[in-house]
Amino acid sequence: MLKYAIIFALISLVAGALGFSGVAAGAAGIAKLLFVVFLVFLVIAVVFVVLAAIGVGAARKVLK
């Protein structure tokens, strides 16, 4: 996700520098959307890692 967000951001910068404002605006919008989706997935992954760590700790506590 992040890779494609960066690619679209670069396309937006190049298109803006060349005067293609419509293409630049579209690519910037796509880049923003992909970056937000990346952040949502990152937060979900962190939550799952924390929950897994808590679950492993609880399982060790029960087994002792």
Side-chain angles (χ1 to χ4, degrees):
M1 260 331 139
L2 185 59
K3 174 182 162 182
Y4 292 117
I6 292 171
I7 290 171
F8 275 104
L10 290 175
I11 290 171
S12 174
L13 289 173
V14 171
L18 294 176
F20 299 106
S21 59
V23 174
I30 293 171
K32 287 178 189 177
L33 177 68
L34 289 174
F35 186 70
V36 169
V37 170
F38 166 75
L39 287 179
V40 169
F41 283 151
L42 183 65
V43 168
I44 291 172
V46 168
V47 167
F48 280 149
V49 167
V50 169
L51 289 175
I54 291 171
V56 169
R60 286 186 184 164
K61 196 175 195 180
V62 169
L63 293 175
K64 283 186 179 183

